[in-house]
Amino acid sequence: MKLSVCLISLFLVLPVVGDGHGEVVMDDYGREISLQSIPQRIVSIAPSVTEIIFAIGAGDKLVGVDSESDFPAEANDIKKVGTYISPSLEMIVVLKPDLLVVSDLTPLQVVNAIEERGIKVFVVAPERIEEIAESMRKLGVILGVKDKAEAAARDFEERAAAVEKKAALAREKPKVYLEFFPYWTFGPGSFGSDLIEKAGGLNIGKKLKSPYAEVSNEFVISENPDIIIITQGKHASTTISSVKERPGWSSINAVRNSRLYYIDDDIISRPGPRMADALEELYSILH
Amino acid sequence: MHLKSSTAFSIELLLLLLAFILSLLSGPSGPIGGQGYTADIIWDLRAPRAFLAVLVGGALALAGVIMQAIFRNPLVDPYILGTSSGSALFAAMVAPSPLEPFFAFIGGISATMAVYAIAWRERIETLLLVGLAVGTLLSALLSLLLFVRLSAFSSMLFWLFGGLSLATWQKSFFLVVVLVISVLLVFPFAMELDSLLLGEEKSQHLGVDVRKLRFFMLLVACMITSFSVSVAGIIGFVGLMVPHMCRRIVGPKHRVLVPFSVLAGGVFLLLADVAARMLLIPNELPIGIITSLCGAPFFIYLVWRQRNVKH
């Protein structure tokens, strides 16, 4: 009886061992991570990371997530370990994870403190949209779900490429103002800006000096965007009607032609699988 | 009427012990016997954190005692005088790096000396205003740094919020050494510090080299503050409240006031840290928010009372 249990578990383990473990994967902080076996208990402390882990089919291994992780719905049933900026080390340690996956939103000091407790940390911090697929593949290797991750990554790339292709054929590029907080917009080097450009628009925020920047009435009015998009979500409360009433905004093309739209805050701000949704949605708004 | 020091110290040590035990028992995985709790949690996470709370609290309180003696005013502390902000800014500039404490010290001492140079001959109100202005300026620079170096954004957030959640035994050990050395440096000058309360001239008559004493003590206060900022970030108002309350209990003599304030600072920060980790469980609140919530109203009360005494 015992022997057969041993044999069965051996067979269960064998293909796992054969799945390229012991492989060294470089995380997005350039640190080389190698794991002896495939992690079975993962804690994710970023909503984008949680979404990626579910998308590549490893969501069932999550035993803890940060308090902002709310997608997909299953994420809500997972134990919360605090915010991504200052998670509770104690909650993390108690969950006994064999891997912690974080984004670059978590302070390096926290990452170091967790590693000092003998828990491996893998940093997922894509900086451009194309790198999201790469993040999926890397996590696929680390989490032993290479094939599903490859499929998810390819699906992501194909959808993004399809939008870009259509956008390239579009006759004109409308000027877009995308606001995620009253008078705050996406500047150069941000995902929001990349998304607009890839969907065939011109981001007026691209002229600004930082990736996330505050703008004035004057700036937006003089740039005269053809389309205004406002994010909606837990952290966004601006409405289209309030934007129309801003001083001087009635002269803006987008307001005169009633081309104001909402978009889900999470899909344009979390560098995860739903950025493909964001691209498709932006394309349909823009063209 | 002040408490007899033996009684006061006994009560204080008892409180420290109770607060320490409370701190060991509090956490998101529950008190002893609670769900998921293990001995490792206490040893690896809660114990170093509790020790660090005692040490940082004690360090900030000591810095406060010294500064209040030097400036002969209970309204000053390392936060008000800009020392903490200077330390945080300079530490953040090199973070992450093992040189953080050193840079924190450079930043703390520069900020404090700047404030001192500008305002030490002026009225105390001017000193406070200059200190607050310099502190605000340095905090603004820290925020600016966050914007400019966005890639290092998250590792710098630590300096803005501060906190004990990342406590380790190494940090505690480092601060134990700092605190013990500081107390040993300050203690021999207890009488001289007492004499400062009589006024510059009188202490000069007693044979105290006031300028030298001021400078040396300020240096020590900056050192303790910046080293504690380098391990725990900016935690305001501890150095303001604790010495003030302690003076009420054991009187103004520094031979008693110094050790009593150090211990009281420990008790206060232990309790503040328990609140920081328990109020929004499992989220960690920045401990600076808790101490400022207690300290800022206290500061306003002190200003109000000083005015009423004068008029």
Side-chain angles (χ1 to χ4, degrees), chain A residues 17-26 32-37 137-138 140-142 146:
Chain A
V17 174
D19 200 23
H21 254 265
E23 250 182 278
V24 180
V25 182
M26 197 183 284
E32 292 183 336
I33 311 290
S34 74
L35 290 170
Q36 301 311 314
S37 54
R137 291 194 177 96
K138 280 184 185 172
V141 173
I142 281 273
K146 250 183 188 169

Side-chain angles (χ1 to χ4, degrees), chain B residues 216-238:
Chain B
F216 178 60
M217 284 295 121
L218 201 56
L219 209 64
V220 175
C222 286
M223 179 186 77
I224 328 169
T225 306
S226 45
F227 287 161
S228 83
V229 168
S230 78
V231 296
I234 298 179
I235 302 176
F237 294 107
V238 179

